[in-house]
Amino acid sequence: MIKLEEIYQGLREFKQLTGRPQQTPGAHFSKVRPEKAPNPKLLCWSNGLASAMGIKDSDKELWIKLLSGNQDNYIPTPIAARYGGHQFGHWAGQLGDGRAMSLGQLNGMEIQLKGAGLTPYSRGADGKAVLRSSLREYICSEAMFHLGVPTTRALSLVETGEDVLRDMFYDGNAAYEKGAICTRIAPSFLRFGNYQIHAANHELEELKELIDYTIENYFPGMSIKEMFGEVVRRTACLMSEWMRVGFVHGVMNTDNLSMLGLTIDYGPYGWLDRFDPNWTPNTTDFREKRYRFINQVNIAYWNLAQLKEALQTVCLDNLDAQLDSFPDKFHHFYQDIQAKKVGLKTCERQFIDELFDLQYDLQADMTLFYRSLMVVMEGKEVDWQSIFYKDLTNDDRNRLDIWLKKWQREQKLQRVDPMIAYGVMNESNPVFIPRNYIVQLVLDDLEKGDETSLRNLEQAILNPYELNEFTRPFYKKAPEWSTSRPGCSTLSCSS
Ligand code: AMP
Ligand code: MG
């Protein structure tokens, strides 16, 4: 038997459910029921996470039933959380878990189904998720975890056996796609928007309750001020981590920013292949590029300011100093991480900027570029052309040479021990990131009924800092076709 503990205990439930969708004033959550998947098929299961959660192998079948909506005996009532958010800079009012349902928690971990059907927060949509986006979420959550980036995790991916209608690029070409449910795991899925919705609606008692709940469960012993300072710190850390691995979230709305500083809600995200600070994969954001790689840190700051506004409606202490500490906190993490990436003890902002300019102008593959610096340290030859997307001219090669000499001079000046530096670089620069095209190829193969590439990818994400039989095939530039193919360089929110 599976026993789960209830979450959101003591918080306010919205009881008068009268059909959907609806506003749920004053509520923190609503009770919901997952839909039963008609023909569930387990596609992915995270063994590592399952054993960390204390899930026994012998209970796996029961779990699969539970995670496909087919087991309603043993769970406390599932809930959908209410939250609001600023979407693309504008207040969007109530949003909420439109297709996510939390079943309860096990050993301090909240278990949430994504794609299990309608909730009072589904607004005009169907509460379902397609295989394409669910696989992307599953793979990226687990990959991020093994990369060492704070993230929500994924326990399972189940095909529901039901087809779901989607207009992938909002161009009137709707088509049926396979439906799926991804089970997400985190200590909590609380977002900035959970607090904002109460402040926006002047529900101050409810806001206080939610803050008390948050502090008691996730920031024990802290004042609101201390909690906010900690959220600022974690968010600053997260932004520098995304920049370390070349991750672009794609939809950094305030409803997609985790109170615990985790990467949350994998939608139209992407990875930098060719280094371009202004890149975003999200087609909805192509004009403004609000959520482009280099702007993520500014947006995080802006989002924290919105959270501050919400908290400030009930917090008597002034939270300005905590918010204002964000740039310094970020630069502290950022400079440290960027120094580690190039095997230096410290590095100035100007040094990093120059390195970014070089990578951008010469069209470096970000992942390969940093690993190639390690090859230089080994005293081996690098085939530079194989890591740049641009055909290198003599001028380009000279520029690269000048930078490499400057870098080596800096290592000497800082009396860097090459062995130690190499070790630090090895931990800071992955050889493998789940580039968009790789996941797209897996989806193509699944379409043909072939799971081999999925199984290989599941292995590759386990050891992203190691060149092995699973990561080596992807230790190369992204193929030319991937720069124009939908699902690789362009993605939409339609999932
Ligand atoms: P996102 O941009 O994916 O973070 O979603 C923004 C809001 O839309 C959230 O409240 C989601 O729960 C909701 N949403 C997205 N897709 C669906 C869907 N297929 N059905 C119901 N709600 C959805
Ligand atoms: Mg979201």
Side-chain angles (χ1 to χ4, degrees):
M1 189 192 336
I2 300 170
K3 278 202 187 129
L4 302 180
E5 299 148 41
E6 257 177 74
I7 54 160
Y8 278 40
Q9 256 174 347
L11 291 183
R12 290 190 204 198
E13 168 199 348
F14 190 75
K15 291 212 172 76
Q16 308 115 43
L17 296 180
T18 54
R20 320 149 177 204
Q22 61 193 289
Q23 295 294 311
T24 62
H28 295 113
F29 67 92
S30 306
K31 288 186 173 165
V32 289
R33 276 273 155 220
E35 258 180 54
K36 292 180 193 305
N39 191 13
K41 179 187 163 217
L42 182 72
L43 200 56
C44 300
W45 177 258
S46 172
N47 283 315
L49 179 55
S51 69
M53 290 174 69
I55 295 177
K56 289 196 235 99
D57 249 7
S58 53
D59 285 344
K60 196 167 159 184
E61 288 309 311
L62 206 52
W63 273 93
I64 295 165
K65 276 182 95 176
L66 179 72
L67 304 178
S68 57
N70 282 291
Q71 179 80 14
D72 33 32
N73 293 336
Y74 308 124
I75 38 177
T77 318
I79 63 134
R82 173 175 178 246
Y83 52 83
H86 279 90
Q87 298 191 315
F88 295 94
H90 304 283
W91 177 245
Q94 178 178 295
L95 301 164
D97 286 333
R99 54 172 169 169
M101 301 181 189
S102 290
L103 302 182
Q105 61 177 9
L106 182 72
N107 296 327
M109 286 295 184
E110 185 173 333
I111 299 166
Q112 187 176 77
L113 310 185
K114 187 165 171 181
L118 291 173
T119 79
Y121 309 102
S122 298
R123 295 178 291 149
D126 58 5
K128 304 282 170 62
V130 294
L131 177 60
R132 155 175 65 89
S133 68
S134 307
L135 180 76
R136 283 170 44 81
E137 174 138 29
Y138 179 91
I139 290 294
C140 200
S141 321
E142 287 303 278
M144 287 290 245
F145 171 76
H146 292 286
L147 282 162
V149 180
T151 181
T152 62
R153 294 196 63 183
L155 175 64
S156 66
L157 177 64
V158 174
E159 279 185 54
T160 58
E162 182 190 37
D163 289 341
V164 175
L165 192 63
R166 283 290 180 276
D167 185 353
M168 189 168 161
F169 284 101
Y170 307 118
D171 59 1
N173 292 317
Y176 279 100
E177 297 186 47
K178 279 183 182 167
I181 299 172
C182 177
T183 298
R184 310 196 292 186
I185 307 289
S188 168
F189 290 90
L190 283 167
R191 305 128 193 280
F192 292 4
N194 289 79
Y195 308 82
Q196 286 186 287
I197 188 71
H198 292 309
N201 293 352
H202 309 290
E203 299 162 358
L204 302 189
E205 271 313 303
E206 289 83 352
L207 177 55
K208 275 191 214 146
E209 283 170 9
L210 182 62
I211 294 172
D212 287 348
Y213 173 87
T214 310
I215 291 178
E216 193 182 318
N217 287 282
Y218 307 107
F219 301 90
M222 291 192 192
S223 62
I224 302 183
K225 197 173 178 172
E226 287 165 338
M227 174 189 77
F228 182 59
E230 180 60 13
V231 178
V232 169
R233 192 189 68 80
R234 291 189 196 184
T235 308
C237 173
L238 185 65
M239 292 308 110
S240 58
E241 279 294 301
W242 285 0
M243 294 188 79
R244 174 172 71 83
V245 295
F247 178 75
V248 187
H249 182 283
V251 217
M252 285 180 69
N253 294 333
T254 55
D255 51 303
N256 290 338
L257 267 260
S258 149
M259 203 57 181
L260 302 188
L262 308 170
T263 314
I264 191 173
D265 277 12
Y266 292 91
Y269 68 83
W271 298 87
L272 291 186
D273 296 316
R274 180 170 63 83
F275 185 84
D276 178 357
N278 290 319
W279 185 68
T280 175
N282 186 355
T283 48
T284 320
D285 192 24
F286 269 6
R287 195 165 301 177
E288 191 190 350
K289 293 194 189 297
R290 179 179 171 86
Y291 299 140
R292 62 192 184 273
F293 178 72
I294 205 75
N295 205 35
Q296 299 188 106
V297 55
N298 298 326
I299 292 297
Y301 193 16
W302 190 88
N303 286 352
L304 283 162
Q306 310 313 311
L307 174 63
K308 192 211 102 170
E309 287 299 308
L311 298 178
Q312 202 71 84
T313 58
V314 294
C315 178
L316 299 177
D317 290 334
N318 188 302
L319 301 174
D320 284 350
Q322 279 65 37
L323 179 64
D324 294 346
S325 72
F326 178 82
D328 281 351
K329 286 198 170 108
F330 170 72
H331 279 115
H332 165 78
F333 287 118
Y334 176 71
Q335 270 165 306
D336 180 54
I337 284 175
Q338 293 297 327
K340 284 181 171 148
K341 281 181 78 67
V342 292
L344 292 173
K345 289 177 183 163
T346 58
C347 69
E348 293 301 316
R349 185 62 199 268
Q350 199 193 333
F351 188 87
I352 304 171
D353 288 348
E354 264 178 45
L355 175 57
F356 279 15
D357 284 347
L358 178 82
Q359 291 186 75
Y360 175 63
D361 292 342
L362 271 57
Q363 302 182 12
D365 183 278
M366 179 179 163
T367 306
L368 300 179
F369 180 81
Y370 286 100
R371 293 300 298 196
S372 299
L373 297 183
M374 294 168 60
V375 178
V376 173
M377 286 185 76
E378 290 175 84
K380 292 186 191 152
E381 280 293 310
V382 176
D383 172 10
W384 289 107
Q385 186 59 70
S386 72
I387 68 151
F388 290 101
Y389 291 89
K390 178 178 190 284
D391 286 334
L392 296 181
T393 61
N394 282 340
D395 280 354
D396 294 333
R397 285 180 186 274
N398 282 338
R399 194 170 153 196
L400 174 64
D401 229 37
I402 290 168
W403 186 85
L404 287 171
K405 293 220 167 72
K406 187 170 170 178
W407 167 60
Q408 287 167 324
R409 245 193 340 268
E410 195 60 35
Q411 285 200 325
K412 285 212 178 73
L413 272 173
Q414 294 188 17
R415 295 181 193 286
V416 165
D417 176 331
M419 292 290 278
I420 294 175
Y422 190 88
V424 169
M425 289 170 82
N426 198 31
E427 288 168 0
S428 311
N429 298 310
V431 295
F432 180 82
I433 49 169
R435 299 169 188 259
N436 286 6
Y437 87 88
I438 298 174
V439 182
Q440 189 55 48
L441 287 178
V442 167
L443 284 165
D444 291 348
D445 286 346
L446 287 178
E447 199 65 40
K448 294 179 224 143
D450 182 357
E451 291 182 9
T452 321
S453 57
L454 172 59
R455 302 300 156 223
N456 289 340
L457 179 56
E458 282 179 299
Q459 292 301 316
I461 60 178
L462 296 179
N463 296 300
Y465 297 93
E466 192 182 292
L467 267 181
N468 60 32
E469 61 174 305
F470 299 106
T471 56
R472 198 180 297 278
F474 303 109
Y475 190 65
K476 59 180 185 204
K477 282 188 283 192
E480 179 65 33
W481 57 261
S482 70
T483 54
S484 53
R485 177 151 176 213
C488 298
S489 58
T490 54
L491 288 133
S492 75
C493 291
S494 153
S495 51

